[in-house]
Amino acid sequence: MTGTPLARAAGALKRAMYRGGRPNAFMRLVNRLDALAYGAGWLSPRQAAVLKVAGRRSGTVTFVPVAVARHGGGEFLVSMLGPEASWVRNVRAAGGVAVLRRRGREQPVVLREVPVGQRAEILRRYVAVAPGARPHVGLGPRAPLAAFRRIEERHPVFRVCPRS
């Protein structure tokens, strides 16, 4: 990842706050505040949402702030932290059944995993709408598509489908 020394330092700090693919105590607090704001629609970016999914062990509903990337007529969620992120494991255990909360409205959804080999363009769109994910993905939106193809296996992508 390139950029100014300040941008590189900020990226290193962000990665440190998610060491081992899990948020530290400070980032857990920030994520809770983001989930509250995004779910209610308070000063939240257009692509911001809250993913609600049953925990794979406890069964209790977990709340995770996410960025929704629009690409090719569809909407997608991407795991900036990789396949071991709790929300990814919970979604897989729940068979993709979840709820997206945006601007105070809840939408029942099914998240369908996009196969490796079809993720590169979505990943590029994701880092364009979720700049906070760039330190974890390691690429910016201007990186060549071939660079995204090299990392697509490390970042699960889910298509958002309405649940009927």
Side-chain angles (χ1 to χ4, degrees):
M1 187 163 160
T2 61
T4 66
L6 180 60
R8 286 191 301 273
L13 177 62
K14 179 91 189 264
R15 285 188 302 277
M17 289 189 280
Y18 282 93
R19 188 156 287 138
R22 309 237 344 124
N24 65 18
F26 175 73
M27 285 311 298
R28 283 193 303 273
L29 174 64
V30 169
N31 286 342
R32 284 187 190 117
L33 294 173
D34 282 349
L36 178 67
Y38 294 172
W42 304 328
L43 302 172
S44 60
R46 185 171 41 99
Q47 69 276 8
V50 176
L51 174 66
K52 297 169 67 175
V53 63
R56 64 193 174 281
R57 287 188 223 131
S58 68
T60 58
V61 176
T62 61
F63 301 80
V64 181
V66 293
V68 179
R70 291 190 168 100
H71 177 74
E75 293 185 318
F76 300 88
L77 301 184
V78 175
S79 175
M80 70 180 188
L81 299 176
E84 294 303 312
S86 287
W87 75 263
V88 171
R89 295 169 72 193
N90 290 340
V91 164
R92 287 173 173 163
V97 174
V99 172
L100 274 183
R101 183 169 178 81
R102 297 186 247 196
R103 303 199 185 279
R105 294 191 179 135
E106 291 195 353
Q107 174 189 15
V109 297
V110 175
L111 300 176
R112 304 206 189 283
E113 195 157 356
V114 175
V116 173
Q118 298 176 17
R119 297 177 182 175
E121 290 183 21
I122 300 163
L123 285 167
R124 182 160 52 185
R125 179 67 187 139
Y126 173 70
V127 296
V129 301
R134 292 176 194 166
H136 303 285
V137 174
L139 297 170
R142 293 191 181 126
L145 201 54
F148 287 98
R149 285 190 186 101
R150 285 192 295 273
I151 65 159
E152 66 184 346
E153 188 173 327
R154 295 190 306 235
H155 298 282
V157 175
F158 295 86
R159 184 180 190 97
V160 177
C161 302
R163 188 170 17 130
S164 41

